[in-house]
Amino acid sequence: FIHWSVVFRLWGGEITIGRRVVIDRGAGLHADGGAIVIGDGAVINANCLIIGGGNVEIGRDVLIAGNCVIVASNHIFEDK
């Protein structure tokens, strides 16, 4: 079940959703050039935001509480 209010934003990335996944109202999945992978049976509760610029993988049967924010960024650190 994916609630009608869920926002998907690819911006050059990709989002893969497994079987029997629940994404509740107000959630946002923003790939932003990276990848978001959601495993079978995972539940993302209301108003969660997942930003996958540095890639995010949510495993099988994982439960994420409401109002959580998960942000992956790909930072490059160079010695000067």
Side-chain angles (χ1 to χ4, degrees):
F1 169 79
I2 298 175
H3 194 270
W4 62 266
S5 65
V6 173
V7 175
F8 295 97
R9 186 173 79 191
L10 297 178
W11 287 10
E14 64 182 61
I15 298 171
T16 305
I17 299 173
R19 296 177 299 151
R20 301 177 322 280
V21 169
V22 173
I23 306 176
D24 208 345
R25 69 189 184 285
L29 279 67
H30 301 183
D32 292 354
I36 297 174
V37 178
I38 302 174
D40 294 342
V43 176
I44 299 171
N45 278 293
N47 304 313
C48 287
L49 177 60
I50 300 174
I51 301 175
N55 300 328
V56 172
E57 183 172 349
I58 308 297
R60 189 180 78 192
D61 298 322
V62 170
L63 306 176
I64 299 176
N67 301 302
C68 288
V69 178
I70 298 171
V71 179
S73 296
N74 189 9
H75 295 285
I76 299 173
F77 296 95
E78 295 180 20
D79 292 333
K80 294 193 181 222

